[in-house]
Amino acid sequence: MANLSSLVHELRERIAASSSTPPNKSDDSSLELRFRTVIPNLLHAYVVPSSSANEREVIAILKLLTHTVKNFPGVFFHGKASAILPIICRIIPFFAEPSFCARHGIIFETLGSLLSLLRTGDRDAYRQFFEDVMAVVEDVLTIASVSNNTSEPELEVSLRCFSGSLSGISPDSIVLGDIPVCNNSVDGIGIMINLTGHTRWQPFATWIIRVSCKCLTEGALNVEGLVNVPFVLAACKLLCYGDAALQMACFDLVRILGAILSNDIIPSENMIMLISTVLSEVEDGLPVFRYPCHFRL
């Protein structure tokens, strides 16, 4: 921890000085090597997706990651997939942890900085990640529809995902962190995420939709030609099952898709009817989003 404290202090000094003095490349290389030694230990010890994880410690390390990615991308080999993707797959399951809901925005910021670096460092890996995100949206729709249509107690559901992204990485080539044991898939490549109940799958779906929005806006040229009809329809249908946050995320995605895709792909008429239905719900005289909205696309 003393070593970490020293690194953080040095990082702050370097960032503060970078605006007024040219960076010293030799000093940067030394700092990068030291961070590459410390970061795997921090991830393994503290950034473990679970309800028992210490929120303060997790968020502190994620903020450190965000600053490091933005200011010293060399720590992450300038976006090498084997450095970035395992960390991303360690962070994503936090979106399904109810105890971290209040911190999902910070988690998303860290994820976004890692994705930006991956986009510049490995375009093919970035494209595969976006394809995995689209597949997750389709799978979450299935979970939502089953959860909504059963009268039984909450079914235990775990989703295996991001197998495409991780299949291209050899375990021997992972340089900064691995997948937490609690999220390891025992029956194939990928990460396992517990999506049991609406308190897990709804926020997870919300932030995965927002991840897809980020890829489509910031990485539009990189993901060109990848958007498919099943993904679009799944995102639209999730409107029928989500809470207000998920509905807003879906609306944002449809707005973005409407600007880059043919109108034939988006069920525009049904979307207009759905928007009208959602906004017609009134509580205390004010229009609000309905929780859930029962409507078929």
Side-chain angles (χ1 to χ4, degrees):
M1 292 304 292
N3 187 28
L4 175 61
S5 178
S6 172
L7 279 173
V8 171
H9 180 72
E10 186 174 346
L11 177 63
R12 287 174 177 170
E13 289 185 340
R14 198 72 57 82
I15 294 172
S18 62
S19 59
S20 57
T21 59
N24 187 319
K25 296 301 182 182
S26 61
D27 287 347
D28 283 357
S29 297
S30 174
L31 188 65
E32 289 170 3
L33 290 173
R34 291 164 64 194
F35 263 109
R36 285 177 191 164
T37 301
V38 171
I39 284 177
N41 295 329
L42 292 176
L43 293 173
H44 182 76
Y46 301 107
V47 186
V48 181
S50 73
S51 57
S52 61
N54 185 299
E55 178 187 304
R56 184 176 180 181
E57 292 173 346
V58 171
I59 296 306
I61 293 168
L62 292 186
K63 287 182 177 180
L64 175 63
L65 279 176
T66 301
H67 285 296
T68 308
V69 168
K70 292 179 178 179
N71 294 280
F72 297 95
V75 172
F76 304 88
F77 300 92
H78 298 280
K80 188 176 180 180
S82 58
I84 299 292
L85 287 173
I87 300 178
I88 288 177
C89 288
R90 177 178 284 266
I91 293 173
I92 282 178
F94 278 101
F95 290 138
E97 289 297 334
S99 59
F100 279 84
C101 273
R103 298 294 196 168
H104 282 170
I106 295 175
I107 296 169
F108 183 72
E109 182 181 0
T110 302
L111 182 63
S113 65
L114 289 164
L115 280 175
S116 296
L117 187 56
L118 179 66
R119 187 179 72 245
T120 59
D122 194 327
R123 182 176 181 270
D124 290 339
Y126 186 82
R127 285 172 64 84
Q128 180 59 61
F129 178 83
F130 179 67
E131 289 188 301
D132 285 343
V133 167
M134 291 193 295
V136 169
V137 171
E138 294 179 51
D139 290 338
V140 171
L141 172 63
T142 301
I143 294 171
S145 61
V146 171
S147 175
N148 189 68
N149 293 325
T150 182
S151 58
E152 300 296 325
E154 286 184 341
L155 300 174
E156 291 189 10
V157 179
S158 291
L159 175 65
R160 180 160 65 88
C161 48
F162 296 98
S163 55
S165 294
L166 294 175
S167 64
I169 302 176
S170 166
D172 296 333
S173 66
I174 294 176
V175 291
L176 290 177
D178 53 5
I179 306 301
V181 174
C182 59
N183 298 110
N184 264 332
S185 172
V186 297
D187 58 351
I189 297 174
I191 57 174
M192 297 293 292
I193 302 178
N194 181 1
L195 296 181
T196 302
H198 70 277
T199 59
R200 285 184 174 274
W201 72 256
Q202 281 187 348
F204 180 76
T206 299
W207 289 100
I208 284 296
I209 291 286
R210 288 176 178 167
V211 169
S212 69
C213 290
K214 190 173 189 67
C215 291
L216 286 167
T217 52
E218 296 185 3
L221 294 178
N222 300 79
V223 300
E224 186 177 7
L226 295 182
V227 177
N228 56 55
V229 173
F231 161 66
V232 175
L233 293 180
C236 292
K237 289 180 180 179
L238 274 172
L239 279 162
C240 304
Y241 302 102
D243 59 5
L246 178 53
Q247 289 172 345
M248 287 296 294
C250 291
F251 282 137
D252 283 342
L253 177 60
V254 171
R255 174 182 55 81
I256 294 168
L257 291 173
I260 63 176
L261 296 178
S262 166
N263 290 333
D264 295 336
I265 296 179
I266 300 174
S268 302
E269 182 178 345
N270 287 342
M271 287 296 298
I272 293 171
M273 293 175 63
L274 177 55
I275 292 171
S276 176
T277 302
V278 169
L279 294 179
S280 68
E281 291 296 311
V282 177
E283 182 177 305
D284 296 330
L286 297 174
V288 297
F289 287 105
R290 186 165 60 171
Y291 289 71
C293 176
H294 299 290
F295 188 86
R296 286 186 174 274
L297 288 176

